[in-house]
Amino acid sequence: MSQMTISSRIGRITPARPGGSVRARAVDAAPVSTSNGFRLLCVLLVALTFTAVLLLNTVRAEGSYVLSSLEVEATALHDEKVTLADELESKGSSESLARAATKLKMVPSTSTATLRLSDGSITGVASKVDGSRTLTVDLPSTGTALAKDD
């Protein structure tokens, strides 16, 4: 330790008084000045830090809650998509379509007419199943179908 530190801790010795008594007086090394502004600044910084951490944790928890609910909703929607895809596939199968046609008293066609979209040409002649009535398609210029009875 330096001489200054030791002397400030022990105190300074005052010169002897006329009567022979020597009095030692203790002197405090740290100045006694209160800095309330600095203390207030430190307390304010600590309070702001704790508030920021609390807000960040709250936002994070809210985000986690929202993410969890969205994952549940996504799972439910995926299950519904799979169910609807299976239902569509089963209703679109040839057996299902044949059953639905039979319920509507439909019978398979024996002849068909087709329309080629690229050039508008018509091929074939569509007719009723019993053969009593033939449906002939007119040229594409009029766009109307004509029913002809034989």
Side-chain angles (χ1 to χ4, degrees), residues 127-134 148-150:
S127 63
K128 283 183 118 183
V129 175
D130 62 1
S132 64
R133 185 172 172 186
T134 306
K148 293 185 180 180
D149 291 327
D150 290 342

Side-chain angles (χ1 to χ4, degrees), residues 8 10 13 17 42 47-48 52 62 66 70 72 75 87 91 99 106 111 115-116 133 140:
S8 65
I10 296 174
I13 299 175
R17 290 188 175 182
C42 289
L48 286 175
E62 182 182 358
V66 168
L70 288 176
V72 168
T75 302
E87 185 179 338
K91 287 191 177 192
R99 276 194 306 270
M106 297 173 95
S111 65
L115 172 66
R116 187 178 308 138
R133 185 172 172 186

Side-chain angles (χ1 to χ4, degrees), residues 109 111-116 121-127 135-137:
S109 175
S111 65
T112 59
T114 58
L115 172 66
R116 187 178 308 138
S121 64
I122 301 170
T123 58
V125 175
S127 63
L135 177 69
T136 306
V137 180

